[in-house]
Amino acid sequence: MSLPGKRVPYSPLPEVDDPESTDDLRQWLRMADKLGQLRVIEGVDVEESAGRISEMLHHTEDAPAVLFDDIPGYPKGWRVLVNTLGTRPRLAATLGLPSDTSTFGVVDAWERLLNEARPQPVRMVESGPILENVMRGDDVDLLKFPTPLWHPEDGGRYIGTGCGILTRDPDSGWVNMGAYRVMVHDRNRTGLYISPGKHGRIHRDKYFAKGEPMPVVVLAGLSPLQFVASGLEIPNGVSELEWVGGLLGHGIRCVEGEFTGLPIPADAEIAIEGFLHHDVTELEGPFGEWTGYYASASRHEPVLEVKAVYHRNDPIILGCPPEKPPYEAQRFQQYLRSGNLRRELRAAGVPDVVNAWTHSVGGCRLFNVVSIKQRYAGHARQAGLIATQCRQGAYLGRIVVVVDDDVDITDLHEVIWAVCTRADPVRDMDIIRGALSGPLDPAIHPDEKGTNSRLIIDATRPWAWRDQFPPAIGPSLEVKLQTRETWSWIMD
């Protein structure tokens, strides 16, 4: 039976006088509390209510971050944090921007960071808060943590949702950190599902081809900035930990994993170290995924044999369970993946790309919009084709719409208005086949998953007779945005 739960004030642990500890979940909590965007709820069970509350938060505009404490059946202080980056102010502050940064101010800043940040090597240290508690061998017990059952039909509890999975390329030694789901099987074993094409999966396949286990560290409690890096398309060959160090201006302090040698952030909350075996599998899933479906069902996946668990005193699980769009990850990914897409289109040589937007309604992958200032015949098709196949757009895409620069691409009403009034189906819609998809694509038959098709819609004014196209009603996009900024107080 669920407890009703009660709201209490946030009571942070005493701050540690450590100027080098700048990428820390607990410092982030203090920041969110100062912004008035953190709520602490006591007495919520993780079997049923934590998942329900998370779903409610994800589907409520401007919902706060919520820290579950005093969880029934677990020690007080062993906590779960959800909805960290569900609003633009919290995302902006996490990236080091003013909390009132505008929509495209965040996109512009992210693109600038991608272009200008210089990765900083991690700094190996002998100790850190992550070593306050260490379980090894027979002492390992993952069941001690208040891991939620996020969705009623999930095959088990997933400790890895808002996580970072550290793997090392066996050939180059490059350390990658990706966000992949981690299901608790029992006290010392987990599942680890990685979709085809992801860097962690490529590393896994290399180890398994040699008949070797893959060393892994699961960061089940990490800073929101590190989680952002783990879930986004950081440039190839760059370690996400080193990239975050570049944003911070100094290398992240790490301790060396006792069994894998992988770098473990010294200020992380929870780290699970072990080896993924190619010849030991167990049924994993089902798990409600970012498309809003149990699209990959259950299957036998390699088992992670846990050698050690490290955690801070009063550890915090960072949760980001997928929901029907939009959910938390999509609320922040819509800014960051939009910056990625715009950057890659420009890098491919497409001129006058004004903006790009990866709509959360499509999971920030399935429905993407690009605005251009048309310069020549075929310009819109060029932008649309590249948007389907560049790194950001290639995986599990579905629809790309290209519009003129007078359309507010963040507004679905305006985008569909442009499709309905500027695109003729015979003339302006193209389909390409055999594009990269994956097991999570719900529209593909279970026996045929792997590739899909893409629809490209040219919703720009027809180039050949653009001067004869009727003028649109209403103010320009610039005037519209200025009006909203100046007169938004009327809505209060």
Side-chain angles (χ1 to χ4, degrees):
M1 184 69 179
S2 300
L3 294 178
K6 62 179 179 178
R7 179 176 165 182
V8 299
Y10 176 57
S11 300
L13 295 174
E15 292 197 44
V16 178
D17 184 16
D18 186 354
E20 291 189 326
S21 181
T22 58
D23 186 34
D24 179 285
L25 178 55
R26 301 185 187 202
Q27 291 188 11
W28 188 94
L29 287 169
R30 294 186 181 95
M31 177 273 294
D33 187 47
K34 288 178 181 178
L35 289 176
Q37 300 211 3
L38 176 65
R39 306 288 184 270
V40 180
I41 309 296
E42 292 185 341
V44 172
D45 70 291
V46 293
E47 182 69 31
E48 177 182 343
S49 298
R52 288 184 175 183
I53 293 171
S54 299
E55 192 276 338
M56 177 186 71
L57 295 169
H58 290 174
H59 292 105
T60 303
E61 294 290 336
D62 300 322
V66 169
L67 184 66
F68 299 118
D69 196 358
D70 199 11
I71 298 169
Y74 299 89
K76 184 176 176 61
W78 289 48
R79 296 159 290 174
V80 178
L81 176 64
V82 298
N83 204 39
T84 51
L85 300 171
T87 65
R88 177 160 30 95
R90 296 200 295 277
L91 171 62
T94 300
L95 296 177
L97 306 172
S99 61
D100 61 353
T101 301
S102 67
T103 295
F104 279 106
V106 174
V107 175
D108 292 342
W110 180 253
E111 186 173 356
R112 185 173 65 253
L113 291 172
L114 287 172
N115 289 330
E116 298 176 2
R118 297 293 176 262
Q120 297 288 323
V122 300
R123 293 180 296 147
M124 302 306 296
V125 296
E126 294 298 321
S127 64
I130 189 62
L131 297 180
E132 289 174 342
N133 301 273
V134 181
M135 296 183 279
R136 303 179 183 86
D138 292 339
D139 292 331
V140 169
D141 188 1
L142 297 173
L143 304 180
K144 289 184 176 181
F145 296 99
T147 303
L149 181 70
W150 295 110
H151 317 103
E153 283 76 37
D154 286 352
R157 300 189 183 200
Y158 278 77
I159 196 169
T161 55
C163 59
I165 313 300
L166 297 169
T167 61
R168 180 188 292 113
D169 187 295
D171 299 327
S172 68
W174 159 49
V175 175
N176 183 72
M177 181 170 67
Y180 319 123
R181 71 194 202 199
V182 182
M183 173 182 170
V184 176
H185 285 316
D186 49 43
R187 60 194 308 276
N188 64 353
R189 299 183 312 144
T190 78
L192 175 54
Y193 174 77
I194 311 176
S195 292
K198 301 299 183 181
H199 288 145
R201 179 65 170 263
I202 293 172
H203 293 178
R204 191 193 88 175
D205 292 346
K206 287 183 178 182
Y207 281 100
F208 287 5
K210 299 177 181 180
E212 300 175 0
M214 180 173 74
V216 173
V217 169
V218 175
L219 300 176
L222 69 170
S223 78
L225 184 57
Q226 290 175 20
F227 176 49
V228 165
S230 72
L232 272 294
E233 284 75 7
I234 301 301
N236 283 330
V238 176
S239 166
E240 284 78 4
L241 288 180
E242 294 184 357
W243 189 81
V244 170
L247 297 191
L248 298 172
H250 60 79
I252 294 176
R253 298 184 306 173
C254 292
V255 299
E256 183 176 290
E258 180 179 342
F259 295 91
T260 64
L262 286 165
I264 302 174
D267 298 306
E269 294 286 329
I270 302 167
I272 302 167
E273 183 183 30
F275 293 88
L276 199 68
H277 294 277
H278 71 287
D279 55 351
V280 181
T281 65
E282 190 159 326
L283 200 64
E284 191 272 348
F287 184 60
E289 273 289 356
W290 61 268
T291 56
Y293 296 92
Y294 289 91
S296 63
S298 300
R299 66 186 70 206
H300 276 82
E301 292 289 337
V303 168
L304 178 67
E305 178 192 11
V306 179
K307 292 293 188 180
V309 176
Y310 313 84
H311 69 85
R312 297 178 68 155
N313 294 332
D314 298 319
I316 304 171
I317 293 175
L318 183 61
C320 186
E323 308 287 353
K324 292 178 184 176
Y327 78 101
E328 179 200 343
Q330 293 156 358
R331 288 189 182 275
F332 74 79
Q333 287 169 352
Q334 64 186 344
Y335 301 96
L336 310 186
R337 284 184 173 157
S338 297
N340 285 4
L341 181 57
R342 187 177 68 180
R343 174 176 177 267
E344 291 171 8
L345 285 166
R346 290 171 172 172
V350 182
D352 286 293
V353 174
V354 177
N355 265 314
W357 194 252
T358 60
H359 276 273
S360 60
V361 71
C364 301
R365 290 194 184 277
L366 297 167
F367 189 82
N368 300 333
V369 185
V370 178
S371 64
I372 63 171
K373 187 180 293 292
Q374 287 194 81
R375 296 301 185 189
Y376 46 82
H379 188 184
R381 286 300 203 287
Q382 177 191 22
L385 285 164
I386 293 175
T388 68
Q389 297 305 310
C390 63
R391 185 180 176 208
Q392 179 57 62
Y395 172 67
L396 212 69
R398 183 83 78 226
I399 301 169
V400 169
V401 180
V402 183
V403 298
D404 294 298
D405 63 341
D406 65 327
V407 174
D408 181 356
I409 61 176
T410 68
D411 186 337
L412 274 174
H413 285 91
E414 286 212 18
V415 172
I416 300 304
W417 166 75
V419 170
C420 292
T421 60
R422 300 183 186 183
D424 180 75
V426 170
R427 182 192 65 212
D428 296 317
M429 297 186 184
D430 295 314
I431 294 175
I432 59 176
R433 294 171 172 80
L436 173 64
S437 181
L440 301 184
D441 193 334
I444 304 302
H445 189 279
D447 297 334
E448 299 172 356
K449 291 182 184 288
T451 62
N452 66 2
S453 59
R454 307 292 160 87
L455 174 64
I456 302 172
I457 303 175
D458 177 358
T460 61
R461 296 179 180 88
W463 175 260
W465 52 283
R466 64 194 182 283
D467 295 335
Q468 298 173 268
F469 202 87
I473 300 170
S476 68
L477 181 56
E478 292 76 12
V479 171
K480 174 183 172 182
L481 295 176
Q482 184 182 41
T483 302
R484 289 180 175 179
E485 182 177 345
T486 303
W487 297 96
S488 61
W489 58 268
I490 295 175
M491 311 297 180
D492 294 340

